[in-house]
Amino acid sequence: NPQHQSPLFNKLPGELRNEIFKWMLVPYDDPDPEKHYSEDSYWYRPGFEASKKVECALLQTCKLIYCESRRAVMREAEHPFWFGASRGPPGRAGTADCIRFFTRGLSNENVEDLTSVHFFTQMYWIEDGSNLAKIFRLRNFRPKRLTITFRYSDWWYWESNEDLRMSEEWLARFDGPPGLKELCVEYETLAWKKSQLDAIVARNKDWKLAVQDGNHLSAADTKLEEWKWNGPSKLAGQTWGHHGDSDTVEYVVVVDRW
């Protein structure tokens, strides 16, 4: 049924309908209080205050709307995964959960429409590059954009307030999946440790990263971005002496793009 009687189809051009459908299918924070993350959890931060939900009622309206809009669901979603023991919400925490997502249930169309994936990873998981390589070799792992976030609590021995350090091996061994167009890396730490962070960011920026399709990603001409946020000084219910006496601490995040 071409729906000629509907102004949505006989008045609006397809390009405009696609924009409407896209915005209606953007994931948003689930309003269910049970889906909200605890503010002192390791995975709570701006943009990740709750699990995401997509309002799929639009897809059930009629077959024509379904045919025109269904692919926006995958294209508009960012698919996050957390790596490290007890460092992410259930179902999205650990290598096994990530591999399961990309090896079960994704159609060829889903793989083609996959746009954005987000990794939150502790240093031990990423530094030697082997875990990244394992995921990059998955046949269905074909995002156009990958974001990797190093949270304050991902750095080596942050609990003991050690100086920031990061091996470059994961960058040296980086071999991105075919079709990867952008790598975004977010570096986060306490605001008063920013000088340590800046040194690592500047060093990493010089790396040219390989992609399996023969292309390379470079950060040589990209500008750094920076933002700050205040979070609870407790993490997972524990108090940390080097966080001071305040109920909150200030985090700084530096963002680089290849």
Side-chain angles (χ1 to χ4, degrees), residues 145-161:
R145 179 173 61 254
L146 173 63
T147 300
I148 298 177
T149 297
F150 300 107
R151 297 156 296 179
Y152 159 66
S153 57
D154 290 328
W155 297 93
W156 288 111
Y157 305 112
W158 65 272
E159 304 94 330
S160 304
N161 195 30

Side-chain angles (χ1 to χ4, degrees), residues 182-247:
E182 178 183 332
L183 172 69
C184 174
V185 180
E186 298 180 332
Y187 307 83
E188 176 187 274
T189 190
L190 297 175
W192 55 269
K193 302 185 81 168
K194 185 174 182 294
S195 61
Q196 299 176 30
L197 189 69
D198 287 342
I200 294 172
V201 172
R203 181 202 68 188
N204 288 358
K205 193 172 183 62
D206 290 335
W207 279 94
K208 189 176 182 180
L209 306 179
V211 180
Q212 293 171 29
D213 56 18
N215 291 318
H216 288 81
L217 302 177
S218 172
D221 298 321
T222 62
K223 293 184 178 181
L224 298 177
E225 303 167 25
E226 182 180 319
W227 55 280
K228 296 180 180 180
W229 68 287
N230 290 322
S233 58
K234 288 185 177 181
L235 284 173
Q238 296 187 53
T239 301
W240 308 94
H242 58 284
H243 289 183
D245 298 327
S246 175
D247 291 335

Side-chain angles (χ1 to χ4, degrees), residues 55-213:
E55 190 54 71
C56 291
L58 172 69
L59 302 179
Q60 301 170 328
T61 306
C62 71
K63 288 184 178 180
L64 189 53
I65 288 179
Y66 174 82
C67 289
E68 287 197 1
S69 64
R70 72 183 188 281
R71 302 187 72 164
V73 175
M74 202 69 175
R75 290 171 178 168
E76 297 306 313
E78 179 183 69
H79 302 276
F81 298 91
W82 288 259
F83 300 99
S86 303
R87 293 305 176 96
R92 290 279 179 164
T95 306
D97 284 343
C98 183
I99 291 176
R100 187 178 302 112
F101 179 86
F102 287 105
T103 55
R104 299 181 185 177
L106 289 185
S107 67
N108 291 336
E109 186 177 88
N110 292 153
V111 175
E112 182 180 338
D113 292 337
L114 178 65
T115 299
S116 183
V117 174
H118 196 149
F119 288 169
F120 296 87
T121 170
Q122 291 186 275
M123 290 299 159
Y124 83 85
W125 187 89
I126 197 173
E127 273 200 331
D128 72 358
S130 61
N131 286 313
L132 272 185
K134 182 186 300 183
I135 292 175
F136 287 174
R137 288 194 297 266
L138 296 176
R139 183 175 63 86
N140 288 343
F141 188 80
R142 297 291 184 268
K144 283 76 172 176
R145 179 173 61 254
L146 173 63
T147 300
I148 298 177
T149 297
F150 300 107
R151 297 156 296 179
Y152 159 66
S153 57
D154 290 328
W155 297 93
W156 288 111
Y157 305 112
W158 65 272
E159 304 94 330
S160 304
N161 195 30
E162 290 199 6
D163 288 347
L164 304 183
R165 66 179 189 272
M166 176 190 292
S167 169
E168 299 173 78
E169 187 173 357
W170 73 276
L171 293 163
R173 296 182 61 184
F174 192 95
D175 193 21
L180 183 67
K181 302 300 182 185
E182 178 183 332
L183 172 69
C184 174
V185 180
E186 298 180 332
Y187 307 83
E188 176 187 274
T189 190
L190 297 175
W192 55 269
K193 302 185 81 168
K194 185 174 182 294
S195 61
Q196 299 176 30
L197 189 69
D198 287 342
I200 294 172
V201 172
R203 181 202 68 188
N204 288 358
K205 193 172 183 62
D206 290 335
W207 279 94
K208 189 176 182 180
L209 306 179
V211 180
Q212 293 171 29
D213 56 18

